[in-house]
Each structure stands twice: as C-alpha cells, then as structure tokens.
Amino acid sequence: MSDTIILKSTITCPVCGHVKEETMATDACQYFYACENCKTVLKPLAGDCCGFCSYGTVKCPPKQMNELCCV
C-alpha cells in the first residue's frame, strides 16, 4: 500500500449530476456536502463515513490511511 495520501477528489451530485473537484481535509471527514449547483445537501450512503466516500472519486484521507473515521 502506498503512503501517499490523495487530497483531491471529484465529487458528483447524484441529484443533478454536477461535478466538482474538491480538496479534502486531512484531519476530519466532511459528513455533509452541499452541491453548489442544485443546493442539495448530500449525506453519506449507508456504510460510508462522509460525502467523499459516497460520491467522490477518492475515499477520504482517514479511509486511505486505514484509520477510523469521524462516525
């Protein structure tokens, strides 16, 4: 496993399809994510800790490091 943590993730709104690259925090999960296009507040899907794990192209940094998330 690589020790490199990826901080950029492309998140896609499941409601309107808006796509945006975001930089993830390294010290906390972002539980809610508000789509800047349709304003829908996205919550993680069951079993995920944050919006990036559910709707992003890259899991959050704690998951990448196999650490416990903020759930």
Side-chain angles (χ1 to χ4, degrees):
M1 178 177 188
S2 173
D3 291 333
T4 302
I5 301 302
I6 300 167
L7 297 179
K8 299 260 185 197
S9 182
T10 301
I11 195 162
T12 302
C13 177
V15 176
C16 72
H18 182 72
V19 176
K20 184 171 184 191
E21 184 178 74
E22 296 280 5
T23 301
M24 299 179 281
T26 58
D27 58 348
C29 296
Q30 185 172 341
Y31 188 78
F32 296 107
Y33 179 84
C35 174
E36 70 177 22
N37 185 58
C38 72
K39 310 302 183 214
T40 298
V41 176
L42 307 176
K43 292 185 264 181
L45 299 172
D48 285 340
C49 62
C50 68
F52 288 105
C53 287
S54 293
Y55 307 104
T57 55
V58 177
K59 301 286 185 194
C60 67
K63 282 285 191 186
Q64 292 179 52
M65 295 183 289
N66 292 319
E67 294 179 358
L68 292 175
C69 291
C70 309
V71 290

